[in-house]
mmCIF file of all heavy atoms in Angstrom:
data_model
loop_
_atom_site.group_PDB
_atom_site.id
_atom_site.type_symbol
_atom_site.label_atom_id
_atom_site.label_comp_id
_atom_site.label_asym_id
_atom_site.label_seq_id
_atom_site.Cartn_x
_atom_site.Cartn_y
_atom_site.Cartn_z
ATOM 1 N N PRO H 23 61.419 23.321 28.118
ATOM 2 C CA PRO H 23 60.675 24.362 27.396
ATOM 3 C C PRO H 23 61.269 25.764 27.477
ATOM 4 O O PRO H 23 60.649 26.721 27.031
ATOM 5 C CB PRO H 23 59.307 24.327 28.098
ATOM 6 C CG PRO H 23 59.619 23.907 29.504
ATOM 7 C CD PRO H 23 60.775 22.950 29.398
ATOM 8 N N GLY H 24 62.465 25.905 27.982
ATOM 9 C CA GLY H 24 63.028 27.234 28.160
ATOM 10 C C GLY H 24 63.339 27.956 26.859
ATOM 11 O O GLY H 24 63.291 29.189 26.799
ATOM 12 N N CYS H 25 63.676 27.204 25.814
ATOM 13 C CA CYS H 25 63.977 27.845 24.536
ATOM 14 C C CYS H 25 63.575 26.908 23.399
ATOM 15 O O CYS H 25 63.522 25.687 23.567
ATOM 16 C CB CYS H 25 65.455 28.218 24.432
ATOM 17 S SG CYS H 25 66.571 26.821 24.560
ATOM 18 N N SER H 26 63.310 27.482 22.241
ATOM 19 C CA SER H 26 62.892 26.668 21.098
ATOM 20 C C SER H 26 64.085 25.927 20.518
ATOM 21 O O SER H 26 65.221 26.401 20.561
ATOM 22 C CB SER H 26 62.255 27.552 20.025
ATOM 23 O OG SER H 26 63.196 28.464 19.503
ATOM 24 N N ILE H 27 63.816 24.732 19.953
ATOM 25 C CA ILE H 27 64.896 23.931 19.383
ATOM 26 C C ILE H 27 64.995 24.107 17.872
ATOM 27 O O ILE H 27 66.013 23.789 17.270
ATOM 28 C CB ILE H 27 64.715 22.439 19.723
ATOM 29 C CG1 ILE H 27 63.367 21.919 19.222
ATOM 30 C CG2 ILE H 27 64.847 22.217 21.212
ATOM 31 C CD1 ILE H 27 63.180 20.429 19.429
ATOM 32 N N LYS H 28 63.925 24.612 17.252
ATOM 33 C CA LYS H 28 63.924 24.904 15.816
ATOM 34 C C LYS H 28 63.111 26.159 15.570
ATOM 35 O O LYS H 28 62.126 26.433 16.265
ATOM 36 C CB LYS H 28 63.291 23.759 15.011
ATOM 37 C CG LYS H 28 64.000 22.425 15.117
ATOM 38 C CD LYS H 28 65.226 22.360 14.227
ATOM 39 C CE LYS H 28 65.832 20.959 14.269
ATOM 40 N NZ LYS H 28 67.042 20.856 13.429
ATOM 41 N N SER H 29 63.503 26.924 14.567
ATOM 42 C CA SER H 29 62.749 28.105 14.160
ATOM 43 C C SER H 29 62.689 28.150 12.648
ATOM 44 O O SER H 29 63.726 28.049 11.983
ATOM 45 C CB SER H 29 63.408 29.377 14.701
ATOM 46 O OG SER H 29 62.632 30.514 14.380
ATOM 47 N N PHE H 30 61.479 28.240 12.104
ATOM 48 C CA PHE H 30 61.287 28.236 10.654
ATOM 49 C C PHE H 30 60.877 29.628 10.196
ATOM 50 O O PHE H 30 59.993 30.247 10.782
ATOM 51 C CB PHE H 30 60.189 27.258 10.244
ATOM 52 C CG PHE H 30 60.395 25.839 10.698
ATOM 53 C CD1 PHE H 30 59.322 24.972 10.779
ATOM 54 C CD2 PHE H 30 61.650 25.369 11.034
ATOM 55 C CE1 PHE H 30 59.500 23.661 11.186
ATOM 56 C CE2 PHE H 30 61.838 24.060 11.440
ATOM 57 C CZ PHE H 30 60.755 23.200 11.519
ATOM 58 N N THR H 31 61.494 30.101 9.143
ATOM 59 C CA THR H 31 61.111 31.373 8.541
ATOM 60 C C THR H 31 60.885 31.159 7.045
ATOM 61 O O THR H 31 61.451 30.246 6.448
ATOM 62 C CB THR H 31 62.194 32.441 8.749
ATOM 63 O OG1 THR H 31 63.419 31.993 8.151
ATOM 64 C CG2 THR H 31 62.421 32.722 10.226
ATOM 65 N N GLY H 32 60.065 32.004 6.459
ATOM 66 C CA GLY H 32 59.765 31.893 5.038
ATOM 67 C C GLY H 32 58.394 32.441 4.689
ATOM 68 O O GLY H 32 58.173 32.908 3.573
ATOM 69 N N HIS H 33 57.481 32.389 5.640
ATOM 70 C CA HIS H 33 56.178 32.993 5.407
ATOM 71 C C HIS H 33 56.324 34.507 5.290
ATOM 72 O O HIS H 33 57.137 35.124 5.983
ATOM 73 C CB HIS H 33 55.214 32.659 6.558
ATOM 74 C CG HIS H 33 54.598 31.294 6.457
ATOM 75 N ND1 HIS H 33 53.550 31.014 5.612
ATOM 76 C CD2 HIS H 33 54.891 30.138 7.100
ATOM 77 C CE1 HIS H 33 53.211 29.742 5.744
ATOM 78 N NE2 HIS H 33 54.014 29.173 6.636
ATOM 79 N N THR H 34 55.513 35.101 4.441
ATOM 80 C CA THR H 34 55.569 36.548 4.238
ATOM 81 C C THR H 34 54.438 37.275 4.956
ATOM 82 O O THR H 34 54.319 38.484 4.845
ATOM 83 C CB THR H 34 55.500 36.877 2.734
ATOM 84 O OG1 THR H 34 54.292 36.325 2.189
ATOM 85 C CG2 THR H 34 56.701 36.294 2.004
ATOM 86 N N ALA H 35 53.608 36.528 5.693
ATOM 87 C CA ALA H 35 52.520 37.112 6.476
ATOM 88 C C ALA H 35 52.372 36.303 7.757
ATOM 89 O O ALA H 35 53.047 35.284 7.951
ATOM 90 C CB ALA H 35 51.216 37.109 5.671
ATOM 91 N N SER H 36 51.498 36.748 8.650
ATOM 92 C CA SER H 36 51.275 36.061 9.921
ATOM 93 C C SER H 36 50.908 34.602 9.689
ATOM 94 O O SER H 36 50.053 34.290 8.851
ATOM 95 C CB SER H 36 50.145 36.745 10.696
ATOM 96 O OG SER H 36 50.480 38.080 11.001
ATOM 97 N N VAL H 37 51.563 33.709 10.426
ATOM 98 C CA VAL H 37 51.265 32.278 10.311
ATOM 99 C C VAL H 37 50.022 31.995 11.143
ATOM 100 O O VAL H 37 50.028 32.115 12.360
ATOM 101 C CB VAL H 37 52.452 31.419 10.774
ATOM 102 C CG1 VAL H 37 52.157 29.945 10.507
ATOM 103 C CG2 VAL H 37 53.728 31.837 10.068
ATOM 104 N N LEU H 38 48.940 31.618 10.471
ATOM 105 C CA LEU H 38 47.634 31.531 11.117
ATOM 106 C C LEU H 38 47.345 30.166 11.727
ATOM 107 O O LEU H 38 46.544 30.053 12.656
ATOM 108 C CB LEU H 38 46.536 31.875 10.099
ATOM 109 C CG LEU H 38 46.649 33.250 9.446
ATOM 110 C CD1 LEU H 38 45.568 33.421 8.380
ATOM 111 C CD2 LEU H 38 46.534 34.345 10.499
ATOM 112 N N SER H 39 47.974 29.108 11.188
ATOM 113 C CA SER H 39 47.663 27.762 11.668
ATOM 114 C C SER H 39 48.763 26.806 11.256
ATOM 115 O O SER H 39 49.495 27.057 10.291
ATOM 116 C CB SER H 39 46.316 27.297 11.076
ATOM 117 O OG SER H 39 46.001 25.979 11.481
ATOM 118 N N LEU H 40 48.902 25.700 11.998
ATOM 119 C CA LEU H 40 49.842 24.651 11.623
ATOM 120 C C LEU H 40 49.347 23.324 12.168
ATOM 121 O O LEU H 40 48.466 23.259 13.004
ATOM 122 C CB LEU H 40 51.258 24.962 12.110
ATOM 123 C CG LEU H 40 51.504 25.254 13.588
ATOM 124 C CD1 LEU H 40 51.557 23.987 14.415
ATOM 125 C CD2 LEU H 40 52.820 26.002 13.749
ATOM 126 N N ASP H 41 49.950 22.233 11.682
ATOM 127 C CA ASP H 41 49.545 20.909 12.141
ATOM 128 C C ASP H 41 50.669 19.914 11.900
ATOM 129 O O ASP H 41 51.425 20.033 10.934
ATOM 130 C CB ASP H 41 48.281 20.448 11.395
ATOM 131 C CG ASP H 41 47.566 19.307 12.097
ATOM 132 O OD1 ASP H 41 47.802 19.110 13.306
ATOM 133 O OD2 ASP H 41 46.758 18.613 11.442
ATOM 134 N N PHE H 42 50.792 18.927 12.806
ATOM 135 C CA PHE H 42 51.710 17.809 12.634
ATOM 136 C C PHE H 42 51.028 16.724 11.801
ATOM 137 O O PHE H 42 49.850 16.439 12.001
ATOM 138 C CB PHE H 42 52.082 17.197 13.990
ATOM 139 C CG PHE H 42 53.046 17.997 14.808
ATOM 140 C CD1 PHE H 42 52.600 18.928 15.728
ATOM 141 C CD2 PHE H 42 54.416 17.795 14.684
ATOM 142 C CE1 PHE H 42 53.489 19.653 16.504
ATOM 143 C CE2 PHE H 42 55.312 18.508 15.451
ATOM 144 C CZ PHE H 42 54.848 19.447 16.362
ATOM 145 N N HIS H 43 51.788 16.088 10.914
ATOM 146 C CA HIS H 43 51.260 14.944 10.177
ATOM 147 C C HIS H 43 51.085 13.771 11.155
ATOM 148 O O HIS H 43 51.937 13.543 12.010
ATOM 149 C CB HIS H 43 52.208 14.552 9.041
ATOM 150 C CG HIS H 43 51.611 13.600 8.063
ATOM 151 N ND1 HIS H 43 51.560 12.234 8.299
ATOM 152 C CD2 HIS H 43 51.029 13.795 6.852
ATOM 153 C CE1 HIS H 43 50.983 11.637 7.274
ATOM 154 N NE2 HIS H 43 50.648 12.556 6.378
ATOM 155 N N PRO H 44 49.980 13.008 11.060
ATOM 156 C CA PRO H 44 49.727 11.944 12.038
ATOM 157 C C PRO H 44 50.656 10.748 11.926
ATOM 158 O O PRO H 44 50.814 10.001 12.900
ATOM 159 C CB PRO H 44 48.279 11.527 11.727
ATOM 160 C CG PRO H 44 48.072 11.896 10.307
ATOM 161 C CD PRO H 44 48.877 13.148 10.094
ATOM 162 N N LYS H 45 51.291 10.534 10.756
ATOM 163 C CA LYS H 45 52.159 9.373 10.571
ATOM 164 C C LYS H 45 53.622 9.755 10.392
ATOM 165 O O LYS H 45 54.517 9.072 10.884
ATOM 166 C CB LYS H 45 51.701 8.571 9.350
ATOM 167 C CG LYS H 45 50.365 7.879 9.521
ATOM 168 C CD LYS H 45 50.439 6.766 10.556
ATOM 169 C CE LYS H 45 49.134 5.989 10.617
ATOM 170 N NZ LYS H 45 49.165 4.929 11.654
ATOM 171 N N LYS H 46 53.878 10.826 9.669
ATOM 172 C CA LYS H 46 55.243 11.239 9.368
ATOM 173 C C LYS H 46 55.705 12.235 10.429
ATOM 174 O O LYS H 46 55.363 13.407 10.393
ATOM 175 C CB LYS H 46 55.308 11.860 7.973
ATOM 176 C CG LYS H 46 54.834 10.904 6.885
ATOM 177 C CD LYS H 46 54.771 11.591 5.517
ATOM 178 C CE LYS H 46 54.241 10.653 4.453
ATOM 179 N NZ LYS H 46 54.130 11.292 3.122
#
Side-chain angles (χ1 to χ4, degrees):
C25 60
S26 64
I27 58 175
K28 298 281 185 181
S29 184
F30 304 159
T31 60
H33 280 282
T34 58
S36 298
V37 186
L38 302 175
S39 178
L40 55 79
D41 198 20
F42 285 92
H43 193 278
K45 292 293 186 182
K46 302 174 182 178

